[in-house]
């Protein structure tokens, strides 16, 4: 019923009700955040980098790179374009602090909903919940691979897959068999086969050539 966006430059999040025909209506709510962080160049003000709804649909978290906070909201599942109810209400606590200067970027949840993982780049978890993947760019561009201990969610690094230049974004196919990596500065989307037992990746050389891909 609603689309939520994180506005990096504006330091806010916006809620857009969805009309019956699927189009977006004007924003029903814009929530602005104040504050700054320890890095005067990167954290001069609030920078909202990511919004994620919890697997149970009850809460939404917003990563504020500028203030080293993860903001918590309670979701109103009944809010829609017709009743005009507020979709988000401030949670308690309203935010969680992370290490000063870390600049939280992306958040993902384990399929069972028991664990949340935060990183300064992009992460995805395999559909079976056994492996977590994180992209690194600007130095040794590639995908870091971690196994997830099922009893406590702790990560163990099991491998590293070098990719093209600047892997800006990646996605795992719903069946868990493949990973598509958008390498912006190589002008290609690379396709890797994923080993379900080890989590490791193999380039199948099925590159999709496209100008500066940034999101899949």
């Amino acid at each position: 019923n609603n689309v939520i966006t994180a506005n990096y430059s504006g330091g806010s999040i916006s809620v857009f009700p969805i009309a019956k025909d699927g189009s977006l209506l004007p924003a029903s709510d814009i929530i602005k955040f104040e504050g700054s962080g320890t890095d005067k160049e990167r954290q001069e003000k609030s920078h909202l980098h990511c919004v994620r709804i919890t697997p149970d649909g009850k809460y939404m978290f917003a990563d504020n790179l500028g203030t080293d906070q993860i903001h918590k909201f309670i979701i109103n599942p009944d809010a829609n374009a017709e009743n005009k109810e507020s979709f988000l209400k401030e949670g308690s606590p309203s935010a969680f602090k992370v290490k000063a200067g870390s600049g939280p970027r992306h958040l993902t949840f384990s399929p069972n909903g028991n664990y949340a993982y935060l990183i300064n780049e992009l992460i995805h978890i395999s559909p079976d919940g056994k492996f977590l993947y994180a992209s690194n760019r600007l130095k040794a561009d590639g995908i870091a691979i971690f196994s997830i201990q099922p009893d406590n969610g702790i990560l163990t690094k099991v491998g590293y897959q070098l990719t093209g230049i600047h892997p800006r974004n990646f996605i795992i196919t719903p069946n868990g068999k493949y990973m598509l990596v958008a390498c912006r500065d190589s002008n290609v989307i690379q396709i890797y086969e994923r080993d379900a037992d080890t989590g490791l990746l193999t380039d199948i050389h099925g590159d999709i050539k496209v100008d500066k891909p940034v999101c899949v």
Side-chain angles (χ1 to χ4, degrees), residues 86-105:
S86 294
F87 181 66
L88 300 174
K89 184 177 78 171
E90 188 177 276
S92 179
S94 61
F96 300 95
K97 288 288 291 183
V98 298
K99 184 180 178 181
S102 60
R105 282 175 173 256

Side-chain angles (χ1 to χ4, degrees), residues 99-113:
K99 184 180 178 181
S102 60
R105 282 175 173 256
H106 290 274
L107 188 70
T108 196
F109 298 96
S110 59
N112 62 14

Side-chain angles (χ1 to χ4, degrees), residues 161-179:
Q161 176 66 50
L162 294 173
T163 65
I165 304 170
H166 207 94
R168 181 76 189 184
N169 190 259
F170 69 98
I171 196 168
I172 301 170
T173 56
N175 61 12
K177 291 184 177 180
Y178 299 96
M179 178 184 290

Side-chain angles (χ1 to χ4, degrees), residues 66-119:
T67 63
D68 297 314
Q69 288 179 298
I70 302 173
H71 302 283
K72 178 184 178 182
F73 293 91
I74 300 169
I75 285 177
N76 175 9
D78 299 323
N80 58 48
E82 295 182 356
N83 61 32
K84 300 188 185 311
E85 293 182 13
S86 294
F87 181 66
L88 300 174
K89 184 177 78 171
E90 188 177 276
S92 179
S94 61
F96 300 95
K97 288 288 291 183
V98 298
K99 184 180 178 181
S102 60
R105 282 175 173 256
H106 290 274
L107 188 70
T108 196
F109 298 96
S110 59
N112 62 14
N114 290 338
Y115 306 106
Y117 297 93
L118 176 73
I119 200 172

Side-chain angles (χ1 to χ4, degrees), residues 108 110 115-119 123-125 129-134 144-158:
T108 196
S110 59
Y115 306 106
Y117 297 93
L118 176 73
I119 200 172
I123 47 179
H124 289 292
I125 294 177
K130 294 180 179 179
F131 296 94
L132 180 144
Y133 299 84
I145 306 165
F146 300 86
S147 64
I148 301 174
Q149 293 185 30
D151 55 339
N152 57 20
I154 289 176
L155 304 180
T156 302
K157 188 175 180 180
V158 296

